[in-house]
Amino acid sequence: MSAPPASTGQPTRPCMVGIFLFDGFELLDVCGPAQVLGVVSNRFQIRWPGPEIGPVRSAIAQADGPLIEAQDVWETSERLSVVLLGGGRGTRTGVNDERLLAALRRQAAGTELIASVCTGSALLAKAGLLDGKRATSNKLAFKWVVTQGPKTQRVPQARWVLDGNVLTSGGVAAGIDMAVALLAHFHGEELARRIATGIEYAWDPFAKAAGLV
Amino acid sequence: MSAPPASTGQPTRPCMVGIFLFDGFELLDVCGPAQVLGVVSNRFQIRWPGPEIGPVRSAIAQADGPLIEAQDVWETSERLSVVLLGGGRGTRTGVNDERLLAALRRQAAGTELIASVCTGSALLAKAGLLDGKRATSNKLAFKWVVTQGPKTQRVPQARWVLDGNVLTSGGVAAGIDMAVALLAHFHGEELARRIATGIEYAWDPFAKAAGLV
C-alpha cells in the first residue's frame, strides 16, 4: 500500500537476509534497510538472529521498549546470502564479544554480501572483515571505529561504499540509502528507484554519480 | 554514540509519546520517528500501546518477523502528550476497528499533538479527527485515504502539515521529516537540526520554507 508492488518479472528464489540484533542496536539502522528490502518480499526474505531467541532491546530503549524479537541465534545453521548489522551503543561492548565476532566471520565466509550501517562497521572491522577493504561509517564516531580496524581503507565522506562483498554505510539514515544501493546491486537501478519512490525516500543520487556503487 | 547528546539546558519533564501499534503497521513509519524522538530521551519518553500486550506484526512481516512488543493496550489509562500512528496495510482493516478508533478519539481529547505517518492519516480521518483540518498522507494511496475523511482539507503536495494539534506526513520516510518538525515544534529548530545531523538525515528544508510548519 505504501510501496509499489515488487516486479515479478524474474521469478527467483528470495535472497535470505539476516539482520543481526544485539543489545543496544540502533533502531533505525536496522528498520530502514528492513523496510526497503522487506517490501520486495519476492526478492528478499528477512531473518532476525540475536544472541538468543526472544526480545532484544534497542539503543533508544528507555524503561521498556522498543523490543524486536530475535527468531534465531547468531550461530544459526541457516545459510544467509546477506548479513546486515546496525550500529548503536551496543557496538561498544560488541567489539569485545567473541561469540558475535565469530558468528560474523563464519557467516561472512559464505555470504554474497556483508553489510553494516553506522558503527556496525566497528564490528566488521574488529572481526577482520574490513582488512584491506574500502569502507565507511558513522561520521560522529569515525575516530573510534577506525581504532577497531586499522587495516581498513576508510572513505569517510561516502554515504555508502561497496568493495567486493562488503557494503558499509554512514550513520543511521544512511543505511536507507545503502539498502536502496543493495537492491540496485542485486536487481537493477530501476527497481531500486521504484521502491525508494514508494517509501517517499530521496535516494542520494550523488553517491552513485561518484562511482561509489 | 550515533547521535549527539541531547541538550540538557532546560530540565523539563519528558513528553510522553505513545506510538500506536496494530497488526500490519509499516515498520519504518514508526521506527523513523521513534529514532528521532528516542535519542532525545530527556525530552521524550516513548510508549508502545497495541491491541494487547505482546508482539505485534509489521506490514513487512513474512514468515516470522519483525515483531515489536506492545507494552500497553490502546485503552491505556496513561496520559499521552503525543499520539503517533504509522500507516501500512493494517490501516485497511483499522478504519473499521471501532475499538482502535475510539481509543484514538479518547486520546486526542487530551493530547497536545496527534500525529500520523503515511496512511495512518486514514485512521485519524475515519475517527473524525481530521474534520476541517489541513492534512496530508501517503502519495500513492491518497485517493483511498480521502474516502475515509471527506471533511479533511487535503494538502497532497506537502511532506508534512501541522494544523492546530494535528500533524500529518507523507508516506513512510516522510515520517522522519515530520518527527524532526515535531521536535522543532516543541524544542526549537536548533535542537531539531542537531538531532537530524546526528542521524545523518537531510531534513527537508523546503517544507519549512513554504510555511508548512
Side-chain angles (χ1 to χ4, degrees):
Chain A
M1 177 182 328
S2 52
S7 163
T8 51
Q10 299 167 276
T12 51
R13 201 166 55 90
C15 173
M16 192 66 75
V17 179
I19 298 182
F20 272 49
L21 297 175
F22 47 84
D23 188 65
F25 71 92
E26 203 71 60
L27 187 69
L28 186 53
D29 289 17
V30 301
C31 291
Q35 179 72 49
V36 171
L37 304 180
V39 294
V40 204
S41 59
N42 60 337
R43 305 296 182 101
F44 297 96
Q45 192 172 341
I46 303 174
R47 301 292 303 172
W48 299 81
E52 55 195 49
I53 291 174
V56 184
R57 201 171 292 272
S58 91
I60 64 161
Q62 297 151 352
D64 299 284
L67 303 167
I68 293 188
E69 294 271 337
Q71 309 158 310
D72 301 314
V73 291
W74 293 328
E75 296 88 350
T76 176
S77 60
E78 186 158 23
R79 184 189 156 83
L80 296 168
S81 298
V82 175
V83 170
L84 193 145
L85 270 173
R89 61 176 157 69
T91 60
R92 301 274 170 166
T93 50
V95 292
N96 298 315
D97 186 337
E98 284 304 328
R99 205 190 125 206
L100 174 55
L101 300 179
L104 290 174
R105 282 187 207 103
R106 189 172 48 251
Q107 283 287 356
T111 59
E112 292 181 56
L113 208 60
I114 189 156
S116 67
V117 178
C118 200
T119 52
S121 59
L123 300 173
L124 298 188
K126 191 67 183 291
L129 300 171
L130 299 186
D131 288 356
K133 299 279 187 189
R134 286 181 302 114
T136 197
S137 185
N138 171 289
K139 308 315 180 207
L140 294 173
F142 212 86
K143 282 186 184 173
W144 172 72
V145 172
V146 166
T147 65
Q148 304 305 312
K151 296 179 187 168
T152 311
Q153 298 174 40
R154 295 284 165 185
V155 190
Q157 74 278 20
R159 192 116 174 114
W160 74 87
V161 176
L162 175 65
D163 186 353
N165 69 338
V166 178
L167 179 61
T168 51
S169 85
V172 195
I176 304 174
D177 296 83
M178 185 191 82
V180 178
L182 190 158
L183 196 50
H185 176 74
F186 280 108
H187 298 293
E189 197 172 316
E190 189 274 331
L191 178 64
R193 290 200 179 276
R194 191 149 50 92
I195 296 301
T197 300
I199 64 164
E200 297 188 23
Y201 190 73
W203 188 35
D204 183 345
F206 305 109
K208 182 167 190 301
L212 289 165
V213 67
Chain B
M1 176 182 327
S2 53
S7 164
T8 51
Q10 299 167 275
T12 50
R13 202 166 54 90
C15 172
M16 191 66 74
V17 179
I19 299 183
F20 272 49
L21 297 174
F22 47 84
D23 189 65
F25 71 92
E26 202 71 59
L27 187 68
L28 186 52
D29 289 17
V30 301
C31 291
Q35 180 71 49
V36 171
L37 303 180
V39 293
V40 203
S41 60
N42 61 336
R43 306 296 182 101
F44 297 96
Q45 193 172 340
I46 304 174
R47 301 292 304 175
W48 299 81
E52 56 195 48
I53 290 174
V56 183
R57 201 171 292 274
S58 91
I60 64 161
Q62 296 151 352
D64 298 285
L67 302 168
I68 292 188
E69 294 272 336
Q71 310 157 309
D72 302 313
V73 292
W74 294 328
E75 297 88 348
T76 176
S77 59
E78 186 159 23
R79 183 189 159 83
L80 296 168
S81 298
V82 175
V83 170
L84 194 145
L85 269 174
R89 60 176 157 69
T91 59
R92 301 276 170 164
T93 49
V95 292
N96 298 314
D97 185 337
E98 284 303 329
R99 206 190 124 206
L100 174 56
L101 300 180
L104 290 174
R105 281 187 208 104
R106 189 171 46 250
Q107 283 288 354
T111 58
E112 291 181 56
L113 209 60
I114 190 156
S116 67
V117 178
C118 200
T119 52
S121 59
L123 299 173
L124 298 188
K126 191 66 184 291
L129 299 171
L130 298 186
D131 288 357
K133 300 277 188 191
R134 287 181 301 115
T136 196
S137 187
N138 171 288
K139 308 314 179 207
L140 294 172
F142 213 86
K143 282 186 185 172
W144 172 71
V145 172
V146 166
T147 64
Q148 304 305 311
K151 294 178 187 168
T152 312
Q153 298 173 40
R154 297 283 167 186
V155 189
Q157 74 278 21
R159 191 114 175 116
W160 74 87
V161 176
L162 175 65
D163 187 355
N165 69 337
V166 178
L167 180 61
T168 52
S169 86
V172 195
I176 304 174
D177 297 83
M178 184 191 82
V180 178
L182 190 158
L183 197 49
H185 175 74
F186 280 108
H187 298 292
E189 197 172 316
E190 189 276 330
L191 178 63
R193 291 201 178 275
R194 190 148 53 92
I195 297 302
T197 299
I199 64 165
E200 297 188 24
Y201 190 73
W203 188 36
D204 182 345
F206 305 109
K208 182 168 188 302
L212 288 166
V213 67

